[in-house]
Amino acid sequence: MNPAARLLLENKSWVQEKQALDPGYFQRFSMSQRPEFLWIGCSDSRIPPNEITVTSAGELFIHRNIANLIVEDDLNVLSVLQYAVLVLQVPHVIVCGHLGCGGVRAAMTRETSGPLDQWLDNIRGVADRNAAELGALTDENLRWDRLVELNVLAQVEKLARTPVIQTAWARGASPRLHGWVYRLDDGVLRELVTVERPSTAEPPQP
């Protein structure tokens, strides 16, 4: 069977199963959404956000890109952030990286070209700012793992500086920012950092 056709067939089976268990399932979700979390994660196919967090449809508002980056001029991630935080008013924003990230590895080896190479420059900047710490790790895999963690921490810092988060905090909203790392070899999520609204939050300057 054609792989794409198989997916359509699986969808029909899934719809029938959902309707059998809960006849009003799709009607309820068609009306509105009220997710509690914005998930900003890597595009890696081995990391299904709903599955690894044991969440159901409607709980996660999801954005994914290579190496889970917050890039200041990326209208895609900024639009997702604006809608999730200022319209849906999610109380939690999670940046989740993962050990074994191919994007981070490619940034380290500098073996890419084209748009991907330009995108990964954002990670190389993180590596350059932490060159002393990374250079002290003689094992290449340990450097790789640590750069994954440092990249998550850097993205949470950038997230906190975005006009969207600054505006939400200035309005008294309190989206908490979380930096997590997922291990592919054991399936465990680990928290690196949580950032909360500062008591002195001010509106962003025009």
Side-chain angles (χ1 to χ4, degrees):
M1 178 183 292
N2 180 291
R6 177 178 58 82
L7 295 184
L8 292 173
L9 186 61
E10 292 287 356
N11 169 257
K12 290 184 175 62
S13 297
W14 173 74
V15 168
Q16 292 172 357
E17 180 180 353
K18 286 292 186 182
Q19 289 178 328
L21 294 172
D22 182 356
Y25 179 85
F26 294 106
Q27 284 71 23
R28 285 199 309 279
F29 279 113
S30 68
M31 301 303 294
S32 65
Q33 62 172 323
R34 195 68 175 176
E36 189 172 2
F37 306 93
L38 167 58
W39 175 280
I40 301 174
C42 183
S43 299
D44 194 300
S45 63
R46 298 166 292 178
I47 308 168
N50 286 109
E51 186 173 344
I52 67 175
T53 58
V54 198
T55 49
S56 301
E59 294 186 66
L60 297 181
F61 196 74
I62 296 173
H63 174 82
R64 301 174 72 174
N65 61 50
I66 293 176
N68 42 271
L69 298 180
I70 310 292
V71 179
E72 291 85 347
D73 58 357
D74 178 13
L75 294 180
N76 194 338
V77 69
L78 295 179
S79 297
V80 169
L81 181 65
Q82 178 184 356
Y83 188 74
V85 172
L86 299 182
V87 179
L88 298 178
Q89 299 180 345
V90 297
H92 298 274
V93 181
I94 298 166
V95 177
C96 185
H98 66 97
L99 301 186
C101 180
V104 172
R105 181 74 170 183
M108 292 174 63
T109 59
R110 298 178 181 270
E111 296 176 350
T112 55
S113 61
L116 179 58
D117 190 63
Q118 184 176 349
W119 181 258
L120 296 180
D121 268 343
N122 294 283
I123 302 174
R124 296 184 187 114
V126 176
D128 291 343
R129 290 191 296 275
N130 295 276
E133 178 182 350
L134 293 171
L137 299 172
T138 56
D139 184 280
E140 186 176 6
N141 287 326
L142 291 179
R143 285 199 303 274
W144 185 8
D145 288 350
R146 184 54 180 158
L147 184 52
V148 166
E149 295 175 343
L150 291 170
N151 182 52
V152 169
L153 293 172
Q155 303 317 307
V156 173
E157 289 179 5
K158 289 199 288 186
L159 183 61
R161 295 195 301 267
T162 60
V164 169
I165 295 299
Q166 290 293 310
T167 296
W169 282 347
R171 292 176 178 175
S174 300
R176 290 184 177 182
L177 314 181
H178 307 270
W180 292 359
V181 168
Y182 177 73
R183 291 189 65 98
L184 288 168
D185 59 2
D186 63 13
V188 174
L189 285 163
R190 179 166 57 92
E191 184 172 61
L192 296 178
V193 67
T194 295
V195 178
E196 301 198 28
R197 174 181 177 270
S199 58
T200 57
E202 297 180 355
Q205 297 301 311

